[in-house]
Amino acid sequence: MKEKDVPQDLQYFKNRVIRDVVYAVDEEGHYRPVISEGWSVKNDALSVVWDDIREQCEEIRRRVENRELSPLAFHAKKNLLDINMLAAYSGIPRRTVRKHFNYKEFMKLDEKTLMKYADALRITADELKKVYEWK
């Protein structure tokens, strides 16, 4: 693909710091990195994936409201974090994170532990305690 043909289809990257880097051929025939604002085909694929994640989050939200799972499970899924990743980001052992996905165990957490999770998820401790319909 030539530099002038690099897609610039804004959708997911609009008003974001993140950009895609693709390699394209310049006028002299050399490959060089070019920043892309997005590509419609990739945007379509991302839409399908995000729709699936939203459905999963909605199911988790219902389970939180039924006190089957904790709000931590919702926020982890929303941020595409599994237990291992959340443990690594929060500095809390995996076994403990798994236990905190249980509603009753989560409700017993002290402010210090809530803040570790909140920092890992880049939200406040108050936001961590809530779930919402994610559209």
Side-chain angles (χ1 to χ4, degrees), residues 39-88:
W39 183 31
S40 62
V41 174
K42 187 174 183 179
N43 291 341
D44 293 345
L46 286 170
S47 289
V48 171
V49 171
W50 280 114
D51 288 345
D52 186 48
I53 292 166
R54 281 187 194 92
E55 284 178 24
Q56 292 173 29
C57 285
E58 183 58 22
E59 174 60 27
I60 292 170
R61 185 186 67 78
R62 282 193 292 273
R63 292 184 67 192
V64 171
E65 289 175 350
N66 291 332
R67 298 182 177 189
E68 297 169 21
L69 286 174
S70 75
L72 183 60
F74 173 81
H75 290 287
K77 176 54 79 177
K78 186 171 100 33
N79 286 281
L80 309 178
L81 297 176
D82 62 14
I83 289 173
N84 293 334
M85 292 171 66
L86 184 55

Tab-separated table of all heavy atoms in Angstrom, residues 39-88:
chain	number	residue	atom	x	y	z
A	39	TRP	N	-9.368	2.118	9.998
A	39	TRP	CA	-9.657	1.456	8.739
A	39	TRP	C	-11.037	0.859	8.875
A	39	TRP	O	-11.333	0.170	9.859
A	39	TRP	CB	-8.595	0.404	8.482
A	39	TRP	CG	-8.683	-0.330	7.199
A	39	TRP	CD1	-9.160	0.124	6.011
A	39	TRP	CD2	-8.256	-1.671	6.975
A	39	TRP	NE1	-9.049	-0.841	5.054
A	39	TRP	CE2	-8.498	-1.966	5.625
A	39	TRP	CE3	-7.696	-2.660	7.766
A	39	TRP	CZ2	-8.208	-3.196	5.063
A	39	TRP	CZ3	-7.406	-3.870	7.203
A	39	TRP	CH2	-7.661	-4.131	5.858
A	40	SER	N	-11.912	1.097	7.931
A	40	SER	CA	-13.311	0.675	8.051
A	40	SER	C	-13.451	-0.825	8.296
A	40	SER	O	-14.287	-1.256	9.089
A	40	SER	CB	-14.119	1.101	6.827
A	40	SER	OG	-13.614	0.484	5.667
A	41	VAL	N	-12.621	-1.648	7.658
A	41	VAL	CA	-12.702	-3.103	7.849
A	41	VAL	C	-12.357	-3.457	9.293
A	41	VAL	O	-13.040	-4.246	9.945
A	41	VAL	CB	-11.759	-3.838	6.865
A	41	VAL	CG1	-11.728	-5.318	7.155
A	41	VAL	CG2	-12.182	-3.562	5.429
A	42	LYS	N	-11.299	-2.847	9.799
A	42	LYS	CA	-10.912	-3.081	11.188
A	42	LYS	C	-11.986	-2.543	12.135
A	42	LYS	O	-12.310	-3.162	13.143
A	42	LYS	CB	-9.573	-2.411	11.475
A	42	LYS	CG	-9.021	-2.728	12.832
A	42	LYS	CD	-7.621	-2.147	12.983
A	42	LYS	CE	-7.033	-2.520	14.310
A	42	LYS	NZ	-5.676	-1.989	14.471
A	43	ASN	N	-12.553	-1.385	11.811
A	43	ASN	CA	-13.627	-0.816	12.635
A	43	ASN	C	-14.824	-1.764	12.705
A	43	ASN	O	-15.428	-1.931	13.772
A	43	ASN	CB	-14.068	0.543	12.083
A	43	ASN	CG	-13.011	1.608	12.253
A	43	ASN	OD1	-12.097	1.477	13.065
A	43	ASN	ND2	-13.125	2.662	11.477
A	44	ASP	N	-15.174	-2.372	11.582
A	44	ASP	CA	-16.295	-3.318	11.564
A	44	ASP	C	-16.013	-4.525	12.459
A	44	ASP	O	-16.871	-4.972	13.207
A	44	ASP	CB	-16.591	-3.786	10.135
A	44	ASP	CG	-17.132	-2.677	9.251
A	44	ASP	OD1	-17.549	-1.621	9.793
A	44	ASP	OD2	-17.137	-2.858	8.019
A	45	ALA	N	-14.791	-5.031	12.385
A	45	ALA	CA	-14.417	-6.169	13.229
A	45	ALA	C	-14.439	-5.772	14.701
A	45	ALA	O	-14.936	-6.526	15.555
A	45	ALA	CB	-13.030	-6.672	12.847
A	46	LEU	N	-13.935	-4.599	15.017
A	46	LEU	CA	-13.962	-4.126	16.403
A	46	LEU	C	-15.390	-3.945	16.909
A	46	LEU	O	-15.682	-4.225	18.079
A	46	LEU	CB	-13.186	-2.816	16.538
A	46	LEU	CG	-11.675	-2.924	16.491
A	46	LEU	CD1	-11.039	-1.546	16.387
A	46	LEU	CD2	-11.148	-3.675	17.698
A	47	SER	N	-16.286	-3.502	16.048
A	47	SER	CA	-17.691	-3.339	16.441
A	47	SER	C	-18.295	-4.662	16.886
A	47	SER	O	-19.006	-4.730	17.894
A	47	SER	CB	-18.522	-2.775	15.289
A	47	SER	OG	-18.200	-1.440	15.067
A	48	VAL	N	-18.008	-5.718	16.149
A	48	VAL	CA	-18.517	-7.049	16.502
A	48	VAL	C	-17.967	-7.483	17.852
A	48	VAL	O	-18.697	-7.962	18.716
A	48	VAL	CB	-18.166	-8.080	15.405
A	48	VAL	CG1	-18.490	-9.487	15.850
A	48	VAL	CG2	-18.876	-7.743	14.103
A	49	VAL	N	-16.682	-7.280	18.051
A	49	VAL	CA	-16.043	-7.669	19.311
A	49	VAL	C	-16.613	-6.868	20.479
A	49	VAL	O	-16.963	-7.426	21.525
A	49	VAL	CB	-14.509	-7.495	19.214
A	49	VAL	CG1	-13.849	-7.677	20.566
A	49	VAL	CG2	-13.929	-8.470	18.206
A	50	TRP	N	-16.727	-5.548	20.315
A	50	TRP	CA	-17.253	-4.719	21.402
A	50	TRP	C	-18.713	-5.046	21.699
A	50	TRP	O	-19.136	-4.995	22.866
A	50	TRP	CB	-17.077	-3.235	21.097
A	50	TRP	CG	-15.679	-2.775	21.387
A	50	TRP	CD1	-14.760	-2.340	20.495
A	50	TRP	CD2	-15.031	-2.736	22.663
A	50	TRP	NE1	-13.580	-2.035	21.128
A	50	TRP	CE2	-13.720	-2.262	22.461
A	50	TRP	CE3	-15.429	-3.067	23.951
A	50	TRP	CZ2	-12.812	-2.102	23.502
A	50	TRP	CZ3	-14.522	-2.901	24.995
A	50	TRP	CH2	-13.240	-2.425	24.770
A	51	ASP	N	-19.496	-5.388	20.703
A	51	ASP	CA	-20.879	-5.806	20.951
A	51	ASP	C	-20.914	-7.052	21.824
A	51	ASP	O	-21.716	-7.156	22.751
A	51	ASP	CB	-21.622	-6.069	19.636
A	51	ASP	CG	-21.947	-4.804	18.877
A	51	ASP	OD1	-21.864	-3.699	19.466
A	51	ASP	OD2	-22.276	-4.914	17.677
A	52	ASP	N	-20.022	-7.996	21.548
A	52	ASP	CA	-19.939	-9.220	22.340
A	52	ASP	C	-19.524	-8.904	23.779
A	52	ASP	O	-20.094	-9.442	24.733
A	52	ASP	CB	-18.955	-10.190	21.696
A	52	ASP	CG	-18.925	-11.531	22.399
A	52	ASP	OD1	-20.015	-12.088	22.661
A	52	ASP	OD2	-17.821	-12.031	22.688
A	53	ILE	N	-18.557	-8.030	23.942
A	53	ILE	CA	-18.105	-7.665	25.288
A	53	ILE	C	-19.228	-6.955	26.051
A	53	ILE	O	-19.444	-7.211	27.239
A	53	ILE	CB	-16.831	-6.799	25.215
A	53	ILE	CG1	-15.681	-7.661	24.692
A	53	ILE	CG2	-16.495	-6.183	26.569
A	53	ILE	CD1	-14.474	-6.883	24.257
A	54	ARG	N	-19.974	-6.088	25.367
A	54	ARG	CA	-21.107	-5.412	26.022
A	54	ARG	C	-22.156	-6.426	26.490
A	54	ARG	O	-22.708	-6.295	27.579
A	54	ARG	CB	-21.738	-4.399	25.072
A	54	ARG	CG	-20.979	-3.117	24.971
A	54	ARG	CD	-21.729	-2.071	24.134
A	54	ARG	NE	-20.850	-0.994	23.782
A	54	ARG	CZ	-20.128	-0.933	22.660
A	54	ARG	NH1	-20.204	-1.896	21.756
A	54	ARG	NH2	-19.330	0.091	22.427
A	55	GLU	N	-22.416	-7.435	25.676
A	55	GLU	CA	-23.370	-8.486	26.074
A	55	GLU	C	-22.866	-9.226	27.311
A	55	GLU	O	-23.642	-9.499	28.236
A	55	GLU	CB	-23.583	-9.485	24.930
A	55	GLU	CG	-24.453	-8.980	23.814
A	55	GLU	CD	-24.583	-9.999	22.677
A	55	GLU	OE1	-24.406	-11.206	22.939
A	55	GLU	OE2	-24.865	-9.577	21.550
A	56	GLN	N	-21.589	-9.544	27.321
A	56	GLN	CA	-21.017	-10.221	28.484
A	56	GLN	C	-21.096	-9.337	29.722
A	56	GLN	O	-21.408	-9.815	30.820
A	56	GLN	CB	-19.566	-10.621	28.202
A	56	GLN	CG	-19.419	-11.694	27.157
A	56	GLN	CD	-17.970	-11.931	26.788
A	56	GLN	OE1	-17.068	-11.741	27.593
A	56	GLN	NE2	-17.745	-12.345	25.544
A	57	CYS	N	-20.818	-8.052	29.559
A	57	CYS	CA	-20.910	-7.110	30.686
A	57	CYS	C	-22.337	-7.014	31.192
A	57	CYS	O	-22.564	-6.925	32.409
A	57	CYS	CB	-20.397	-5.729	30.283
A	57	CYS	SG	-18.602	-5.638	30.163
A	58	GLU	N	-23.299	-7.033	30.290
A	58	GLU	CA	-24.699	-6.963	30.698
A	58	GLU	C	-25.087	-8.200	31.508
A	58	GLU	O	-25.791	-8.103	32.520
A	58	GLU	CB	-25.606	-6.809	29.476
A	58	GLU	CG	-27.073	-6.658	29.802
A	58	GLU	CD	-27.398	-5.474	30.702
A	58	GLU	OE1	-26.611	-4.505	30.774
A	58	GLU	OE2	-28.463	-5.514	31.357
A	59	GLU	N	-24.610	-9.365	31.087
A	59	GLU	CA	-24.876	-10.593	31.843
A	59	GLU	C	-24.227	-10.522	33.223
A	59	GLU	O	-24.849	-10.884	34.223
A	59	GLU	CB	-24.352	-11.809	31.071
A	59	GLU	CG	-24.452	-13.109	31.824
A	59	GLU	CD	-25.859	-13.506	32.235
A	59	GLU	OE1	-26.823	-13.108	31.553
A	59	GLU	OE2	-25.994	-14.218	33.243
A	60	ILE	N	-23.000	-10.038	33.293
A	60	ILE	CA	-22.327	-9.894	34.584
A	60	ILE	C	-23.069	-8.879	35.448
A	60	ILE	O	-23.242	-9.090	36.655
A	60	ILE	CB	-20.846	-9.500	34.390
A	60	ILE	CG1	-20.082	-10.658	33.748
A	60	ILE	CG2	-20.207	-9.104	35.717
A	60	ILE	CD1	-18.679	-10.306	33.299
A	61	ARG	N	-23.535	-7.785	34.858
A	61	ARG	CA	-24.289	-6.767	35.608
A	61	ARG	C	-25.514	-7.382	36.253
A	61	ARG	O	-25.821	-7.130	37.429
A	61	ARG	CB	-24.684	-5.609	34.702
A	61	ARG	CG	-25.363	-4.446	35.453
A	61	ARG	CD	-25.883	-3.385	34.507
A	61	ARG	NE	-26.972	-3.873	33.682
A	61	ARG	CZ	-28.228	-4.013	34.108
A	61	ARG	NH1	-28.563	-3.724	35.335
A	61	ARG	NH2	-29.160	-4.461	33.290
A	62	ARG	N	-26.238	-8.212	35.499
A	62	ARG	CA	-27.424	-8.876	36.066
A	62	ARG	C	-27.024	-9.792	37.223
A	62	ARG	O	-27.711	-9.843	38.242
A	62	ARG	CB	-28.147	-9.678	34.980
A	62	ARG	CG	-28.989	-8.815	34.051
A	62	ARG	CD	-29.933	-9.640	33.205
A	62	ARG	NE	-29.259	-10.474	32.216
A	62	ARG	CZ	-28.917	-10.076	30.998
A	62	ARG	NH1	-29.200	-8.859	30.599
A	62	ARG	NH2	-28.314	-10.897	30.162
A	63	ARG	N	-25.915	-10.475	37.057
A	63	ARG	CA	-25.442	-11.374	38.120
A	63	ARG	C	-24.986	-10.592	39.353
A	63	ARG	O	-25.148	-11.062	40.481
A	63	ARG	CB	-24.329	-12.276	37.598
A	63	ARG	CG	-24.867	-13.280	36.562
A	63	ARG	CD	-23.833	-14.245	36.105
A	63	ARG	NE	-23.436	-15.124	37.214
A	63	ARG	CZ	-22.378	-15.911	37.171
A	63	ARG	NH1	-21.614	-15.954	36.096
A	63	ARG	NH2	-22.078	-16.663	38.205
A	64	VAL	N	-24.440	-9.395	39.148
A	64	VAL	CA	-24.076	-8.543	40.285
A	64	VAL	C	-25.334	-8.107	41.014
A	64	VAL	O	-25.404	-8.165	42.249
A	64	VAL	CB	-23.247	-7.314	39.838
A	64	VAL	CG1	-23.074	-6.327	40.985
A	64	VAL	CG2	-21.891	-7.743	39.280
A	65	GLU	N	-26.342	-7.700	40.257
A	65	GLU	CA	-27.598	-7.281	40.892
A	65	GLU	C	-28.268	-8.428	41.656
A	65	GLU	O	-28.953	-8.200	42.647
A	65	GLU	CB	-28.546	-6.701	39.847
A	65	GLU	CG	-28.068	-5.346	39.353
A	65	GLU	CD	-28.914	-4.776	38.233
A	65	GLU	OE1	-29.771	-5.492	37.679
A	65	GLU	OE2	-28.693	-3.594	37.901
A	66	ASN	N	-28.030	-9.659	41.205
A	66	ASN	CA	-28.547	-10.842	41.906
A	66	ASN	C	-27.582	-11.326	42.988
A	66	ASN	O	-27.811	-12.378	43.598
A	66	ASN	CB	-28.818	-11.986	40.919
A	66	ASN	CG	-29.979	-11.689	40.009
A	66	ASN	OD1	-30.882	-10.952	40.368
A	66	ASN	ND2	-29.941	-12.253	38.814
A	67	ARG	N	-26.506	-10.581	43.177
A	67	ARG	CA	-25.482	-10.879	44.190
A	67	ARG	C	-24.781	-12.217	43.969
A	67	ARG	O	-24.367	-12.869	44.911
A	67	ARG	CB	-26.075	-10.770	45.584
A	67	ARG	CG	-26.565	-9.376	45.856
A	67	ARG	CD	-27.117	-9.209	47.212
A	67	ARG	NE	-27.481	-7.786	47.365
A	67	ARG	CZ	-27.833	-7.253	48.491
A	67	ARG	NH1	-27.882	-7.971	49.580
A	67	ARG	NH2	-28.144	-5.989	48.552
A	68	GLU	N	-24.644	-12.577	42.707
A	68	GLU	CA	-23.908	-13.790	42.349
A	68	GLU	C	-22.443	-13.468	42.072
A	68	GLU	O	-21.580	-14.330	42.244
A	68	GLU	CB	-24.519	-14.433	41.099
A	68	GLU	CG	-25.948	-14.894	41.283
A	68	GLU	CD	-26.592	-15.284	39.964
A	68	GLU	OE1	-25.873	-15.576	38.991
A	68	GLU	OE2	-27.833	-15.284	39.906
A	69	LEU	N	-22.166	-12.270	41.590
A	69	LEU	CA	-20.811	-11.798	41.308
A	69	LEU	C	-20.649	-10.401	41.901
A	69	LEU	O	-21.630	-9.700	42.133
A	69	LEU	CB	-20.549	-11.728	39.799
A	69	LEU	CG	-20.346	-13.034	39.050
A	69	LEU	CD1	-20.261	-12.771	37.551
A	69	LEU	CD2	-19.093	-13.740	39.529
A	70	SER	N	-19.404	-9.998	42.066
A	70	SER	CA	-19.134	-8.664	42.611
A	70	SER	C	-18.996	-7.640	41.486
A	70	SER	O	-18.752	-8.006	40.329
A	70	SER	CB	-17.848	-8.691	43.424
A	70	SER	OG	-16.723	-8.736	42.575
A	71	PRO	N	-19.119	-6.360	41.819
A	71	PRO	CA	-18.881	-5.325	40.815
A	71	PRO	C	-17.475	-5.399	40.216
A	71	PRO	O	-17.258	-4.970	39.092
A	71	PRO	CB	-19.067	-4.021	41.601
A	71	PRO	CG	-19.979	-4.379	42.719
A	71	PRO	CD	-19.598	-5.787	43.093
A	72	LEU	N	-16.541	-5.964	40.962
A	72	LEU	CA	-15.180	-6.123	40.450
A	72	LEU	C	-15.162	-6.958	39.168
A	72	LEU	O	-14.433	-6.645	38.229
A	72	LEU	CB	-14.298	-6.776	41.522
A	72	LEU	CG	-12.827	-6.956	41.190
A	72	LEU	CD1	-12.150	-5.613	40.905
A	72	LEU	CD2	-12.128	-7.678	42.334
A	73	ALA	N	-15.983	-7.985	39.107
A	73	ALA	CA	-16.073	-8.831	37.905
A	73	ALA	C	-16.547	-8.013	36.707
A	73	ALA	O	-16.038	-8.160	35.592
A	73	ALA	CB	-17.007	-10.007	38.154
A	74	PHE	N	-17.511	-7.138	36.933
A	74	PHE	CA	-18.037	-6.275	35.867
A	74	PHE	C	-16.942	-5.357	35.335
A	74	PHE	O	-16.704	-5.274	34.126
A	74	PHE	CB	-19.213	-5.452	36.389
A	74	PHE	CG	-19.711	-4.415	35.427
A	74	PHE	CD1	-20.566	-4.744	34.398
A	74	PHE	CD2	-19.307	-3.085	35.554
A	74	PHE	CE1	-21.025	-3.780	33.510
A	74	PHE	CE2	-19.753	-2.113	34.681
A	74	PHE	CZ	-20.620	-2.461	33.649
A	75	HIS	N	-16.265	-4.657	36.240
A	75	HIS	CA	-15.253	-3.688	35.810
A	75	HIS	C	-14.048	-4.371	35.174
A	75	HIS	O	-13.443	-3.824	34.245
A	75	HIS	CB	-14.846	-2.799	36.986
A	75	HIS	CG	-15.938	-1.869	37.394
A	75	HIS	ND1	-16.297	-0.773	36.645
A	75	HIS	CD2	-16.784	-1.897	38.454
A	75	HIS	CE1	-17.304	-0.147	37.231
A	75	HIS	NE2	-17.618	-0.817	38.327
A	76	ALA	N	-13.710	-5.554	35.646
A	76	ALA	CA	-12.614	-6.297	35.027
A	76	ALA	C	-12.972	-6.643	33.578
A	76	ALA	O	-12.174	-6.421	32.657
A	76	ALA	CB	-12.307	-7.557	35.828
A	77	LYS	N	-14.164	-7.174	33.362
A	77	LYS	CA	-14.596	-7.544	31.997
A	77	LYS	C	-14.651	-6.318	31.103
A	77	LYS	O	-14.199	-6.347	29.963
A	77	LYS	CB	-15.954	-8.240	32.052
A	77	LYS	CG	-16.534	-8.585	30.691
A	77	LYS	CD	-15.625	-9.392	29.806
A	77	LYS	CE	-15.614	-10.839	30.165
A	77	LYS	NZ	-14.761	-11.617	29.218
A	78	LYS	N	-15.204	-5.227	31.623
A	78	LYS	CA	-15.335	-3.995	30.849
A	78	LYS	C	-13.972	-3.490	30.395
A	78	LYS	O	-13.835	-2.910	29.321
A	78	LYS	CB	-16.040	-2.936	31.695
A	78	LYS	CG	-16.369	-1.666	30.961
A	78	LYS	CD	-17.241	-0.780	31.800
A	78	LYS	CE	-16.584	0.327	32.515
A	78	LYS	NZ	-15.479	1.023	32.023
A	79	ASN	N	-12.952	-3.734	31.197
A	79	ASN	CA	-11.601	-3.295	30.871
A	79	ASN	C	-10.750	-4.397	30.252
A	79	ASN	O	-9.529	-4.269	30.153
A	79	ASN	CB	-10.924	-2.754	32.133
A	79	ASN	CG	-11.471	-1.406	32.510
A	79	ASN	OD1	-11.104	-0.406	31.931
A	79	ASN	ND2	-12.381	-1.376	33.461
A	80	LEU	N	-11.408	-5.489	29.863
A	80	LEU	CA	-10.751	-6.600	29.181
A	80	LEU	C	-9.646	-7.237	30.018
A	80	LEU	O	-8.621	-7.677	29.492
A	80	LEU	CB	-10.188	-6.159	27.821
A	80	LEU	CG	-11.144	-5.431	26.891
A	80	LEU	CD1	-10.433	-5.006	25.617
A	80	LEU	CD2	-12.352	-6.285	26.574
A	81	LEU	N	-9.855	-7.297	31.329
A	81	LEU	CA	-8.878	-7.886	32.232
A	81	LEU	C	-9.384	-9.215	32.768
A	81	LEU	O	-10.508	-9.299	33.252
A	81	LEU	CB	-8.608	-6.953	33.418
A	81	LEU	CG	-7.997	-5.591	33.096
A	81	LEU	CD1	-7.890	-4.753	34.365
A	81	LEU	CD2	-6.632	-5.753	32.455
A	82	ASP	N	-8.542	-10.233	32.687
A	82	ASP	CA	-8.889	-11.485	33.356
A	82	ASP	C	-8.296	-11.439	34.767
A	82	ASP	O	-7.651	-10.461	35.158
A	82	ASP	CB	-8.405	-12.694	32.551
A	82	ASP	CG	-6.901	-12.758	32.380
A	82	ASP	OD1	-6.164	-12.028	33.079
A	82	ASP	OD2	-6.446	-13.547	31.538
A	83	ILE	N	-8.504	-12.485	35.531
A	83	ILE	CA	-8.036	-12.509	36.913
A	83	ILE	C	-6.523	-12.342	36.992
A	83	ILE	O	-6.011	-11.592	37.832
A	83	ILE	CB	-8.514	-13.798	37.620
A	83	ILE	CG1	-10.017	-13.706	37.857
A	83	ILE	CG2	-7.761	-14.027	38.930
A	83	ILE	CD1	-10.667	-14.968	38.384
A	84	ASN	N	-5.792	-13.010	36.118
A	84	ASN	CA	-4.332	-12.907	36.140
A	84	ASN	C	-3.854	-11.479	35.888
A	84	ASN	O	-2.950	-10.984	36.565
A	84	ASN	CB	-3.704	-13.846	35.109
A	84	ASN	CG	-3.914	-15.298	35.442
A	84	ASN	OD1	-4.091	-15.667	36.599
A	84	ASN	ND2	-3.911	-16.139	34.424
A	85	MET	N	-4.446	-10.824	34.912
A	85	MET	CA	-4.037	-9.462	34.588
A	85	MET	C	-4.411	-8.502	35.708
A	85	MET	O	-3.620	-7.627	36.081
A	85	MET	CB	-4.667	-9.022	33.268
A	85	MET	CG	-4.116	-9.773	32.073
A	85	MET	SD	-5.027	-9.439	30.544
A	85	MET	CE	-4.655	-7.736	30.279
A	86	LEU	N	-5.623	-8.650	36.255
A	86	LEU	CA	-6.050	-7.778	37.345
A	86	LEU	C	-5.150	-7.970	38.562
A	86	LEU	O	-4.792	-7.010	39.242
A	86	LEU	CB	-7.517	-8.037	37.697
A	86	LEU	CG	-8.124	-7.125	38.757
A	86	LEU	CD1	-7.967	-5.649	38.396
A	86	LEU	CD2	-9.596	-7.476	38.955
A	87	ALA	N	-4.766	-9.201	38.836
A	87	ALA	CA	-3.845	-9.477	39.945
A	87	ALA	C	-2.506	-8.775	39.713
A	87	ALA	O	-1.957	-8.140	40.624
A	87	ALA	CB	-3.647	-10.979	40.092
A	88	ALA	N	-1.996	-8.870	38.501
A	88	ALA	CA	-0.712	-8.238	38.184
A	88	ALA	C	-0.792	-6.717	38.311
A	88	ALA	O	0.102	-6.085	38.878
A	88	ALA	CB	-0.266	-8.627	36.778
